[in-house]
Amino acid sequence: NAGVMQNPRHLVRRRGQEARLRCSPMKGHSHVYWYRQLPEEGLKFMVYLQKENIIDESGMPKERFSAEFPKEGPSILRIQQVVRGDSAAYFCASSSGQAAYGYTFGSGTRLTVV
Amino acid sequence: KQEVTQIPAALSVPEGENLVLNCSFTDSAIYNLQWFRQDPGKGLTSLLLIQSSQREQTSGRLNASLDKSSGRSTLYIAASQPGDSATYLCAVPQGGSEKLVFGKGTKLTVNP
């Protein structure tokens, strides 16, 4: 049981480049959630996805950010034309969809925009 | 809108001490509450999950209680050890949704 796998662990991008963050949920989990942790701030919800569907993207910035969870493969959080303010830790969590069992988080991707 | 507050923001104790971390939330219509631990530069490790129908959960030296009506939870750590040093986060669902609202955490330092 490999848990929630995120890669890369660290990502450095220059301003204006694209960042792609990947998340493979725990085995048996079909629900994926992305959270962002800005320096000195708490974790903030970004988006909730199931296979091929975005369920709730109320926490996603309206521009430059997108997320997908295809039928095959990992969930991808994509940030286009990154700016310094995008520097943060991005965490992925997964669940079975049953609230009683809680959520399992990955180790995160630390994005640094230079 | 659900808001979660954790106090204190930081706590430093000598090894062996028993301690209590506090979490309060504004919307008591939750179906569970989860406590996590975060080590510097690392991900979140789930410590305890309390369902709304439960009043407490225990795992080893950790005990978490939940009082839904007053919007409070406490995490009790017995006989603290240096290895317990980390940031402890409390999280509850937003309304009836599956998105979690986190507190800013309590940074715990246990001194040998």
Side-chain angles (χ1 to χ4, degrees), chain A residues 9 11 33 41 50 91:
Chain A
R9 291 293 300 275
L11 182 61
Y33 314 80
E41 291 194 21
Q50 296 178 24
F91 290 96

Side-chain angles (χ1 to χ4, degrees), chain A residues 9 31 33 35 37 40 42-43 45 48 56 58 91 95 97 99-103 105-108 110, chain B residues 31-32 34 36 38-46 49 51 89 93 97-104:
Chain A
R9 291 293 300 275
H31 297 233
Y33 314 80
Y35 288 80
Q37 187 175 39
E40 306 305 320
L43 281 89
F45 168 82
Y48 161 34
D56 183 345
S58 58
F91 290 96
S95 79
Y101 299 110
Y103 304 86
F105 278 76
S107 298
R110 277 144 190 88
Chain B
Y31 49 81
N32 61 29
Q34 201 162 357
F36 296 90
Q38 184 176 27
D39 292 279
K42 301 287 178 68
L44 279 69
T45 301
S46 180
L49 171 69
Q51 302 301 333
L89 299 168
S97 75
E98 292 197 33
K99 53 187 176 186
L100 292 177
V101 179
F102 283 83
K104 291 189 176 182

